[in-house]
């Protein structure tokens, strides 16, 4: 199963829906996770246009205020959902991934900015992971880095990194090797760079 995660920063515009559809087909994607949808009512989103057809299942968390919002879409032939859970900052989909024994849980994450809110999210995700056995994949915008070299011209917060690293260790996560550039987020026309996004998984023993 090929998974795509994208901080789309608003998916109400037609050009972004078209872009998402092109990515889905060019990368042969079976599961899509979006962060920062910024659409108050997810029912107004052109999901069929984004998927390129009607053979999909979708779940969403509507944003609170002008930011946030999470969406998961997937091919029901490849992945069959058994249950889901969500909060403002995560959307987890649990089920059977074709070709993978047992249960797989995919968690779409959009971490808040506040240090205290981040800590609560890490705690909530650890409790969620402990409640279900099987394969776990966490992906999304974590709004945190592990080391100072994962930021460029951008402020590094030591305690945020400590909390994030503690969560990774306690959850038993490893990062997927990703191609492309070192940094995943830029602002001020590339003057500030950070590695805030990624895929993490629990190895199958």
């Amino acid at each position: 199963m090929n998974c795509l995660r994208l901080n789309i920063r608003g998916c109400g515009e037609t050009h972004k829906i078209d872009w998402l559809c092109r990515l889905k087909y060019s990368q042969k994607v079976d599961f899509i996770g979006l962060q920062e949808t910024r659409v108050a009512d997810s029912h107004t989103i052109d999901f069929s246009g984004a998927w390129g057809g009607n053979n999909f299942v979708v779940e969403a968390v509507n944003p609170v205020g002008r930011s946030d919002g999470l969406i998961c879409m997937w091919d029901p032939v490849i992945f069959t959902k058994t249950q889901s859970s969500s909060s403002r900052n995560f959307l987890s989909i649990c089920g059977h991934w074709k070709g993978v024994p047992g249960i797989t849980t995919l968690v779409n994450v959009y971490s808040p900015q506040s240090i205290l809110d981040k800590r609560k999210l890490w705690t909530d995700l650890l409790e969620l992971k402990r409640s279900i056995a099987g394969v776990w994949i966490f992906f999304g915008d974590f709004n945190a880095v592990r080391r100072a070299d994962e930021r460029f011209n951008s402020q590094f917060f030591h305690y945020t990194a400590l909390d994030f690293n503690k969560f990774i260790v306690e959850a038993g996560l490893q990062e997927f090797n990703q191609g492309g550039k070192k940094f995943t987020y830029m602002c001020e026309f590339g003057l500030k760079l950070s590695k805030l996004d990624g895929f993490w998984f629990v190895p199958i023993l």
Side-chain angles (χ1 to χ4, degrees):
M1 180 166 70
N2 287 339
C3 300
L4 168 70
R5 64 136 305 270
L6 182 66
N7 188 324
I8 198 165
R9 291 184 175 82
C11 61
E13 302 94 339
T14 300
H15 72 277
K16 288 192 176 181
I17 294 296
D18 293 341
W19 174 45
L20 186 58
C21 186
R22 290 195 300 272
L23 284 173
K24 187 254 182 185
Y25 276 101
S26 66
Q27 302 303 314
K28 300 179 181 179
V29 172
D30 306 302
F31 193 104
I32 295 174
L34 304 177
Q35 301 87 46
E36 283 202 272
T37 58
R38 297 181 182 177
V39 176
D41 182 359
S42 61
H43 292 95
T44 64
I45 297 171
D46 180 13
F47 291 116
S48 295
W51 192 260
N54 296 313
N55 185 32
F56 65 89
V57 179
V58 62
E59 289 213 14
V61 174
N62 288 329
V64 177
R66 297 177 62 185
S67 63
D68 304 346
L70 297 162
I71 287 173
C72 288
M73 303 175 67
W74 64 91
D75 183 340
V77 174
I78 304 298
F79 187 82
T80 305
K81 186 192 82 168
T82 56
Q83 66 184 86
S84 63
S85 60
S86 64
S87 75
R88 176 178 177 177
N89 295 113
F90 74 84
L91 172 58
S92 74
I93 310 295
C94 178
H96 297 281
W97 177 353
K98 187 176 180 180
V100 178
I103 296 294
T104 298
T105 304
L106 297 103
V107 188
N108 186 358
V109 178
Y110 179 71
S111 175
Q113 297 287 343
S114 160
I115 292 177
L116 292 179
D117 289 343
K118 278 188 176 70
R119 286 175 179 168
K120 183 181 185 308
L121 175 61
W122 306 146
T123 299
D124 291 345
L125 292 178
L126 283 172
E127 290 179 356
L128 177 67
K129 181 181 175 294
R130 291 168 183 149
S131 69
I132 304 172
V135 177
W136 281 82
I137 300 172
F138 293 83
F139 62 88
D141 184 343
F142 295 91
N143 268 319
V145 299
R146 302 192 68 187
R147 304 180 305 272
D149 65 357
E150 292 183 343
R151 288 190 181 275
F152 177 76
N153 285 339
S154 180
Q155 189 172 3
F156 173 72
F157 294 98
H158 180 69
Y159 289 107
T160 299
L162 282 177
D163 290 339
F164 188 38
N165 282 315
K166 181 181 178 183
F167 161 69
I168 289 168
V169 170
E170 291 186 359
L173 300 178
Q174 292 186 15
E175 189 171 15
F176 278 104
N177 291 325
Q178 299 181 85
K181 304 295 184 180
K182 176 180 179 180
F183 301 103
T184 62
Y185 173 76
M186 73 175 184
C187 63
E188 298 183 13
F189 302 100
L191 295 178
K192 294 184 178 182
L193 304 170
S194 300
K195 183 177 182 291
L196 303 178
D197 312 84
F199 273 91
W200 297 83
F201 70 104
V202 178
I204 301 174
L205 301 177

